Amino acid sequence: SLEYVLERFQVLPFRFVSSVTSITDGQTSTFENFLGNFVYKNIKPSCYFGFEEVKFRDQVYHVATKAKALFDYLYLKPEFGSRSEKYLRIQLFKKSSLQWENFSEGDFEQFESYVWKSNSFKMMRLRRVVGAYFEGKKFDAWRKQLLA
């Protein structure tokens, strides 16, 4: 689940989730049972990558890496589809509940590789905005080190 992986790595704060969102290269669908609501969101087959195989009770599951879960989360959310980088900065760093301090530079590099692989204009724009944030963090760390 998108939210599960992001919560597990504390990129999204933990909260009770009423539905579980999974990514599929198959058909988008939703179903409900006694365990909850399950939503399967379709992404284009060329974006179906970035997961690890996990075996649980003789079943194999694909679980997204932290970077891929963030990629899918941003890819599927319409509020991150703006053409304005200023608007995206506000959405990403002020309005969303994403906790960027728990997303490392290494995670960003992996996220960036997924963006290039996807060939998505929306994700390229998001990469620029998120990349500027990480460049700013590196500069702040360098400045603190220099002034220490």
Side-chain angles (χ1 to χ4, degrees), residues 12-28:
L12 275 177
F14 178 78
R15 59 184 175 258
F16 177 76
V17 178
S18 60
S19 64
V20 175
T21 305
S22 296
I23 303 303
T24 179
D25 60 352
Q27 194 171 11
T28 293

Side-chain angles (χ1 to χ4, degrees), residues 70 74 80 85-101 103 108 111 125-137:
L70 180 66
L74 297 175
F80 301 116
E85 290 189 13
K86 179 180 178 183
Y87 178 82
L88 286 173
R89 276 193 300 279
I90 292 167
Q91 287 298 110
L92 287 166
F93 302 113
K94 293 192 185 334
K95 290 192 175 183
S96 79
S97 55
L98 292 166
Q99 298 176 3
W100 291 99
E101 65 274 9
F103 201 72
F108 172 71
F111 171 81
R125 246 189 327 276
L126 285 163
R127 185 206 60 79
R128 274 195 307 274
V129 173
V130 175
Y133 168 80
F134 278 96
E135 283 300 316
K137 276 181 62 174

